[in-house]
Amino acid sequence: LKNLSELSGKTQTEVIKKLINGATIKEKPPKEFYKTLNGLIELRKELKKIRDVSKFAKEIDVKKVENTLQKIDDLRMLIAETYLK
């Protein structure tokens, strides 16, 4: 129980409650995971800005879209190398 609590970052009481409810206790992701997740959130914000501007301008900034797509590809590669290999 103590080991599950430490691995998951949850209190022992939380672990017991989850186990009673049939949940699987998962190991807490490393800090790098959350940094990567924040990168995805920032890219989403960039895409929303492009969408919103294109609604009013009636055109799309192709260079900005290509730049954002490259960032997405770079982040995808980072995720694959960090968490899937």
Side-chain angles (χ1 to χ4, degrees):
L1 181 61
K2 184 178 178 181
N3 188 35
L4 279 175
S5 175
E6 289 172 0
L7 286 175
S8 67
K10 300 186 182 328
T11 65
Q12 290 183 6
T13 304
E14 290 172 318
V15 169
I16 291 170
K17 286 179 182 178
K18 288 192 170 287
L19 290 172
I20 289 172
N21 291 326
T24 302
I25 305 300
K26 298 177 183 175
E27 187 174 346
K28 184 177 179 179
K31 290 181 181 180
E32 293 82 25
F33 172 80
Y34 294 102
K35 289 179 186 175
T36 305
L37 188 58
N38 285 336
L40 282 173
I41 291 168
E42 290 304 313
L43 289 173
R44 185 178 188 280
K45 288 178 185 177
E46 283 184 44
L47 287 172
K48 285 180 73 176
K49 284 181 194 175
I50 292 168
R51 180 200 62 197
D52 293 344
V53 168
S54 68
K55 281 183 183 178
F56 293 107
K58 301 295 182 200
E59 59 184 55
I60 295 176
D61 185 343
V62 175
K63 192 167 190 155
K64 213 173 207 180
V65 171
E66 288 173 350
N67 187 19
T68 304
L69 289 172
Q70 183 60 52
K71 289 179 184 177
I72 291 170
D73 288 342
D74 293 345
L75 190 54
R76 183 180 55 82
M77 293 290 287
L78 176 67
I79 291 169
E81 290 173 5
T82 305
Y83 302 104
L84 301 178
K85 290 185 178 182

